[in-house]
Amino acid sequence: MALELSMPQMLRHPHIQLRNIAPGVVLSAGVGALAVLGGHAENMLFGAQWLEPLVLAILFGAVLRTLWKPGAQFSAGMRFSAKTILEVAIVLLGASVSAQTLLAVGPELLIGIVAVVALVVPGSYLLGRALGLPARMSLLIACGNGICGNSAIAAVAPVIEADSDDVSASIAFTAVLGVAVVLGLPFLGKVLTLPAFHYGVLSGLTVYAVPQVLAAAAPMGSAAIQIGTLVKLVRVLMLGPITVVLSLLAAGLPAEGRRMRDTSDVAPPSTRKHFMPPLFILGFLAMIALRSFDAIPQVALAPMEQAASIFTVIAMAALGLGVDARAVAAAGPRVIATVTLSLVLLVVLGLGLLMLIGG
């Protein structure tokens, strides 16, 4: 059985853990290196990068995963790359966010983000119910789309006692559509000629996972990445109050589609009543605070940014290696329709927010 690895586990048993994760990390790094080479090839052939290495890493990984399923020996390292390496990258990214960037967000945008999530979650739930999905699966999709993708699905599943089959289908399609959003959003931004700040807001509002925001916002530059990450983190932090509300409402959900299977592999029971922001979010915010007080030496900023870029490409490759395009067909037409319409609702509300704040 593959191990779920975290940095504390690595430190406790370094030799054993390194042996477990090495194949998957090397595979992810190899795909990431190909993505970087692909970016250089674009520059040589076209004089510009139409697809950033972050996006290419996801694409190359997804194509490889669809053509060839990596063996069990790669699993632990791929998960480590997609989770721990990425979390380190996000923490390092916090060093590039200044206090001026934080102040630029403003209370109006903060209220708008909360309002968008508050509308998307019940709206997506109603879409799922209208299309005939069970209540719990509709809620999983609604929280996944509205908050933070697979993490939200995993956290909400035990709270509402969701069936493991519904959890698997929701996560599978969210992963595939999440890649589609990362690939398609830059084109929408260019068509609408959005400035970096507003494109960053839109990417933070619509992209499912914190890591994928980096890939989606990258074509518009560092300002879009910073704002997109901040907006996305506000959405992630909404998982706490949403989970509390759902725990109060869960007893009243219809019993249809509920088979009471074990979902302990999705999220531990302790997440039902208590929500603690992930450590990488706290680390990201701590880095912002350090940068704001000039506590990070200037000479360290460029290497930290370069390390964050390298780690992120490796993580994007690992995420791509976990996506099988054939999962779309397996998810079923009602799930596909619900997730797609929920995404449309999210984009429309995001664009509406941009108009309100002067986009």
Side-chain angles (χ1 to χ4, degrees):
M1 180 177 177
L3 297 176
E4 292 291 344
L5 301 173
S6 63
M7 189 58 71
Q9 290 173 320
M10 285 282 296
L11 296 176
R12 284 198 297 271
H13 308 286
H15 299 296
I16 297 176
Q17 304 298 359
L18 285 174
R19 186 167 62 248
N20 286 333
I21 69 172
V25 172
V26 170
L27 176 62
S28 301
V31 174
L34 288 177
V36 173
L37 291 176
H40 290 315
E42 284 184 284
N43 275 328
M44 293 176 60
L45 293 174
F46 309 111
Q49 288 186 353
W50 296 101
L51 293 176
E52 299 288 323
L54 293 177
V55 178
L56 288 176
I58 296 176
L59 278 176
F60 290 172
V63 170
L64 180 59
R65 170 64 181 82
T66 301
L67 297 176
W68 167 71
K69 182 178 180 179
Q73 69 270 28
F74 296 101
S75 298
M78 287 165 51
R79 283 197 300 274
F80 181 83
S81 298
K83 184 179 185 297
T84 304
I85 290 180
L86 183 56
E87 290 173 355
V88 173
I90 293 172
V91 171
L92 292 175
L93 181 65
S96 66
V97 181
S98 65
Q100 289 75 16
T101 302
L102 286 171
L103 293 174
V105 174
E108 296 86 358
L109 180 55
L110 180 61
I111 295 171
I113 297 168
V114 173
V116 167
V117 174
L119 290 172
V120 165
V121 172
S124 299
Y125 171 77
L126 292 175
L127 281 172
R129 296 296 284 157
L131 290 169
L133 290 184
R136 285 168 174 76
M137 188 169 196
S138 298
L139 266 180
L140 292 177
I141 292 173
C143 292
N145 276 16
I147 305 175
C148 52
N150 295 349
S151 299
I153 293 172
V156 167
V159 173
I160 63 174
E161 299 182 359
D163 180 85
S164 58
D165 289 346
D166 291 345
V167 174
S168 300
S170 301
I171 286 179
F173 191 72
T174 297
V176 174
L177 192 60
V179 173
V181 174
V182 170
L183 297 176
L185 200 62
F187 293 100
L188 179 62
K190 290 178 181 179
V191 168
L192 298 177
T193 62
L194 294 176
F197 178 86
H198 294 93
Y199 178 79
V201 172
L202 184 63
S203 62
L205 282 172
T206 55
V207 176
Y208 295 151
V210 176
Q212 294 173 335
V213 172
L214 306 182
M220 297 297 183
S222 60
I225 292 175
Q226 293 169 6
I227 293 298
T229 303
L230 289 170
V231 171
K232 180 60 190 173
L233 289 177
V234 174
R235 285 175 64 198
V236 172
L237 292 174
M238 292 229 16
L239 182 58
I242 289 289
T243 302
V244 172
V245 171
L246 290 180
S247 67
L248 298 175
L249 299 177
L253 290 175
E256 61 181 273
R258 182 181 176 186
R259 292 184 287 277
M260 296 296 292
R261 294 187 183 178
D262 179 25
T263 56
S264 59
D265 59 326
V266 178
S270 59
T271 61
R272 297 187 183 190
K273 296 183 179 180
H274 304 288
F275 173 75
M276 176 67 178
L279 290 178
F280 75 90
I281 293 180
L282 298 178
F284 177 83
L285 296 176
M287 279 293 196
I288 294 175
L290 291 173
R291 176 66 186 276
S292 300
F293 289 103
D294 292 325
I296 301 176
Q298 289 293 321
V299 69
L301 293 177
M304 291 173 73
E305 184 176 354
Q306 292 171 356
S309 297
I310 293 171
F311 290 163
T312 305
V313 170
I314 294 173
M316 292 301 108
L319 286 174
L321 286 166
V323 173
D324 187 347
R326 290 168 295 193
V328 176
R334 289 185 298 174
V335 177
I336 295 173
T338 301
V339 178
T340 303
L341 289 175
S342 176
L343 174 62
V344 171
L345 174 63
L346 188 58
V347 172
V348 169
L349 290 174
L351 292 174
L353 177 59
L354 290 181
M355 293 177 62
L356 290 176
I357 65 175

